[in-house]
Amino acid sequence: MTDTLSYAEVIGDPIAHSKSPIIHKFWLEKLAIEADYRMFHVKPDELADYIASRRDDPHWQGCNVTIPHKLAVMDHVSDPGDVRASIGAMNTIARTESGDLFGTNTDAGGFFAPIADVPLTGQDVIVIGAGGAAQAVLFALSRIDVGSVTIINRNVLKASALLARFGLKGKALEHGSALPPARLLVNASALGMKGQDELLVDLSSLPDDAIIYDLVYVPLKTKLLVAAKARGLETIDGVSMLIGQAAVAFEIFFGQAPPLEHDEELRKLLLA
């Protein structure tokens, strides 16, 4: 790869754990596209300078945005799809044909893809977290007419405000509270991620048909998913959403849909 190739990247703090380069490089190779995908460590106080430098780089096609920049990045790019008013967080920055930078969000679609066939209308849901990923989850849930939504978060007031924002009925609880019964539990926080605090929840109140969906993918077998499997519950790991949101971003960056027929091979690569 040379510096004259078009490229995209993923930014965050931390970033070394990211599997996005594996996914995008896999697709680029399968499609024989002459381009690159990288990771770049950007601390919160470096975000404005990062965006400014990439804005002037004609080879840069855009970036995926991960913790903790999904909210702050909205102040640095245009918002043609009014993401700020809908999901309230951006995870993808790209260029228009005229070279202007705009932001969008592929998390909501990526989150929903693995559960699209699950009948969740009128079903109760628990969401852990209230950051950018949680907002994408809540946005998706608001579009499928779920029942009551319980948000578990350190800041209960913030969580309550998100319920109102997305027009969801439910309640906000602090960490450590007993979980209400629910058909779906989603961990949309960083808890349980490598280097972060563990997510400690008691799943005993959930029904036997509950689905446990952990957006964390490092480690892939989180303690939450291990506990869920020990109870015989259905589980969905973070790789499912990771591939789903990456597929939308890839087409934005490189102008071609990714070859999803190779998903099984890609998943094995990610789990190696």
Side-chain angles (χ1 to χ4, degrees):
M1 297 292 181
T2 71
D3 289 339
T4 59
L5 284 179
S6 294
Y7 71 99
E9 57 196 343
V10 58
I11 65 169
D13 179 32
I15 197 59
H17 68 280
S18 177
K19 294 186 182 292
S20 292
I22 296 174
I23 296 172
H24 287 268
K25 285 175 180 286
F26 175 84
W27 288 335
L28 287 170
E29 183 176 341
K30 289 292 183 184
L31 294 173
I33 295 174
E34 290 282 327
D36 195 11
Y37 187 96
R38 311 164 184 174
M39 67 170 68
F40 196 79
H41 187 192
V42 178
K43 296 178 181 178
D45 61 355
E46 300 169 340
L47 183 61
D49 288 342
Y50 165 82
I51 294 294
S53 68
R54 293 303 191 265
R55 193 186 300 273
D56 295 333
D57 182 350
H59 303 297
W60 184 79
Q61 300 303 306
C63 67
N64 291 116
V65 181
T66 188
I67 295 172
H69 303 310
K70 292 186 180 185
L71 304 182
V73 78
M74 291 189 292
D75 294 332
H76 301 284
V77 296
S78 66
D79 184 13
D82 206 12
V83 173
R84 183 187 292 272
S86 57
I87 297 176
M90 292 177 175
N91 79 323
T92 303
I93 307 301
R95 288 190 189 279
T96 64
E97 289 187 2
S98 62
D100 295 330
L101 302 190
F102 70 95
T104 187
N105 192 303
T106 66
D107 277 341
F111 157 73
F112 185 65
I115 57 170
D117 295 331
V118 178
L120 289 172
T121 300
Q123 298 291 311
D124 293 347
V125 180
I126 299 168
V127 176
I128 301 172
Q135 290 176 211
V137 169
L138 294 168
F139 175 81
L141 293 175
S142 74
R143 295 300 190 267
I144 58 172
D145 199 24
V146 295
S148 176
V149 176
T150 300
I151 303 180
I152 310 289
N153 194 54
R154 291 191 182 96
N155 187 330
V156 174
L157 289 177
K158 179 180 180 182
S160 296
L162 287 179
L163 286 172
R165 172 179 181 170
F166 291 104
L168 294 163
K169 60 182 180 180
K171 58 189 173 182
L173 299 175
E174 293 182 350
H175 283 286
S177 302
L179 300 182
R183 178 77 163 86
L184 174 68
L185 181 148
V186 182
N187 177 31
S189 74
L191 295 174
M193 183 187 293
K194 183 179 180 181
Q196 303 290 326
D197 293 338
E198 287 296 344
L199 174 58
L200 305 174
V201 294
D202 181 358
L203 302 177
S204 61
S205 62
L206 299 185
D208 291 341
D209 65 347
I211 299 170
I212 310 302
Y213 189 165
D214 198 339
L215 305 192
V216 170
Y217 59 87
V218 179
L220 189 66
K221 293 181 179 179
T222 62
K223 289 189 176 180
L224 174 64
L225 294 183
V226 170
K229 287 185 177 180
R231 255 213 62 193
L233 301 178
E234 182 179 348
T235 61
I236 302 173
D237 61 47
V239 170
S240 301
M241 175 171 169
L242 186 68
I243 292 174
Q245 63 82 24
V248 182
F250 183 89
E251 189 163 359
I252 293 172
F253 297 147
F254 301 111
Q256 293 188 47
L260 297 179
E261 65 271 19
H262 300 292
D263 263 12
E264 201 57 43
E265 182 182 350
L266 174 57
R267 193 174 180 88
K268 288 178 181 177
L269 188 63
L270 291 168
L271 301 183

